[in-house]
Amino acid sequence: MMKWPALLNRRTRKPLTVTQKRNLMGWIFVSPFILGFLVLFLGIFIDSLRFSFMEVHVLSQGGYATKFVGLDNYHQILRIDPYFNRQLYGAVQNMLFDIPVIVMYSLFIAVLLNQKMKGRAIFRAIFFVPVILATGIIDKADLRNSIMNAYQSIPGVDTGIALANESANGLFSTLQLKKYMFQMFDFSPALVNITVGAAENIYNVVNHSGVQILIFLAGLQAISSSIYESAKIEGCSGWESFWKITFPLISPLILVNIIYSVIDSFTGSKNQIMDRITAAMKLGEYGTASAMAWIYFAVAAAFLAIIVLLVSRFVFYQNKEG
């Protein structure tokens, strides 16, 4: 039989608070990833770190042989390789330029799609289509070259295509756009470069904003409509409601989308560093590829930590615990 003190302690044990329950549900949610990482990927991470300090040779009879070379792989990449540092700088520059544009565009589209209108579900699906098209076999199929080759195989059509491309390049080239902005608006060179860069990168922005739009849309739908009704009764305009209600309540999702966008930018299929790592592995340079990967991982983690540290100061977490 259970003793009286143990029975009393069991009966008088305090129930979990709302915060503790939320934290427990969070750990349960991420537990499959943690277990999968420990079982499947931890060994690979350790081997990759070891290989970065070694020269690895694949044996013809199977297996591989290693030779410890210390920091030679890192020295070769950072001090001798003429392209890696330049490509790394370009990857960081593209990330710092793309992330604000992608996040602001995603938030703007999510606010529009959250409005009550006819065909809202269709519009939401349209904005998520680029995410589907950018995955799997469709991303690897070079449809543009296939169509161009098909057109060029028809006599007389290639001349028209060339003239059309020449005309379009003459009308909408970067130099022409910069010239118009300087003449008509007298913008500063820095603002012109930012605007033109955003215009040239619009396809990439739309193509990489589908997931962020869905995350923002879910957050907007989670905000109670009674809050907006109370603000409207108090005389708040739509602009004031956005900055005093919508923006603070979805600020945690802004941080989530920034983290997702940073990782997506650093690991994109068109990233030159990722291509270099893959090419080194195909050539059998496993030690060099591992060193490149760890340098890239360290740089990405450092920038991610800095961005999270800066943005988290402005994040508002609603405390629902009474």
Side-chain angles (χ1 to χ4, degrees):
M1 293 182 63
M2 184 179 295
K3 296 183 179 179
W4 281 104
L7 182 60
L8 291 175
N9 290 335
R10 185 177 180 181
R11 290 180 177 179
T12 58
R13 184 180 299 172
K14 294 182 178 180
L16 295 177
T17 62
V18 175
T19 302
Q20 291 174 339
K21 291 180 180 178
R22 189 185 302 123
N23 294 337
L24 180 60
M25 292 301 296
W27 283 109
I28 294 175
F29 181 77
V30 300
S31 60
F33 169 78
I34 295 176
L35 293 176
F37 175 80
L38 294 176
V39 175
L40 301 176
F41 296 104
L42 183 60
I44 299 175
F45 268 64
I46 296 175
D47 288 339
S48 175
L49 183 60
R50 288 194 308 109
F51 290 162
S52 66
F53 300 101
M54 296 178 179
E55 185 176 336
V56 183
H57 297 282
V58 178
L59 303 177
S60 58
Q61 63 271 21
Y64 59 88
T66 59
K67 177 184 177 182
F68 183 77
V69 295
L71 298 175
D72 288 352
N73 291 330
Y74 292 93
H75 181 268
Q76 173 71 25
I77 295 168
L78 296 176
R79 302 299 298 274
I80 300 178
D81 192 322
Y83 303 107
F84 183 82
N85 291 332
R86 189 184 309 170
Q87 292 172 343
L88 184 61
Y89 175 78
V92 173
Q93 187 180 32
N94 292 335
M95 181 272 297
L96 294 176
F97 180 80
D98 291 343
I99 300 309
V101 179
I102 291 175
V103 173
M104 288 188 294
Y105 171 80
S106 303
L107 179 58
F108 175 74
I109 297 300
V111 172
L112 290 181
L113 295 178
N114 194 46
Q115 304 299 319
K116 294 181 179 180
M117 56 183 176
K118 294 182 179 180
R120 182 170 57 176
I122 298 176
F123 287 113
R124 291 175 181 176
I126 290 174
F127 279 99
F128 193 69
V129 165
V131 179
I132 301 174
L133 295 179
T135 57
I137 191 172
I138 300 179
D139 185 38
K140 299 179 181 180
D142 194 355
L143 298 179
R144 183 174 180 272
N145 290 337
S146 300
I147 295 174
M148 290 295 294
N149 293 333
Y151 273 118
Q152 291 176 357
S153 64
I154 303 176
V157 178
D158 53 345
T159 305
I161 294 175
L163 292 175
N165 289 335
E166 183 178 355
S167 176
N169 291 333
L171 289 175
F172 301 102
S173 65
T174 301
L175 295 177
Q176 290 290 336
L177 183 57
K178 289 183 178 180
K179 181 180 178 181
Y180 292 148
M181 294 184 69
F182 279 128
Q183 292 178 350
M184 298 178 62
F185 303 102
D186 194 22
F187 288 156
S188 64
L191 182 59
V192 170
N193 291 331
I194 293 175
T195 305
V196 173
E200 290 179 335
N201 202 34
I202 187 63
Y203 173 78
N204 183 59
V205 171
V206 175
N207 201 33
H208 291 81
S209 300
V211 175
Q212 291 89 329
I213 292 174
L214 287 181
I215 294 175
F216 277 136
L217 193 58
L220 292 173
Q221 292 179 346
I223 301 176
S224 176
S225 59
S226 60
I227 301 178
Y228 293 104
E229 294 174 359
S230 301
K232 190 175 182 180
I233 293 174
E234 294 294 331
C236 291
S237 62
W239 184 255
E240 291 173 335
S241 297
F242 175 79
W243 286 109
K244 295 182 179 181
I245 299 175
T246 305
F247 191 81
L249 291 180
I250 65 170
S251 57
L253 298 181
I254 294 177
L255 178 59
V256 171
N257 277 332
I258 289 176
I259 295 174
Y260 176 85
S261 300
V262 169
I263 297 174
D264 185 51
S265 176
F266 275 124
T267 59
S269 58
K270 297 182 180 180
N271 192 295
Q272 292 183 347
I273 300 295
M274 299 297 294
D275 293 340
R276 284 287 306 277
I277 295 173
T278 304
M281 292 182 61
K282 291 181 179 179
L283 293 174
E285 300 174 355
Y286 298 104
T288 303
S290 299
M292 285 183 182
W294 278 99
I295 293 173
Y296 194 44
F297 173 77
V299 172
F303 273 94
L304 192 60
I306 294 172
I307 292 173
V308 171
L309 182 64
L310 294 176
V311 177
S312 60
R313 297 183 177 183
F314 304 96
V315 174
F316 170 77
Y317 292 100
Q318 186 181 12
N319 186 10
K320 297 182 180 180
E321 186 174 359

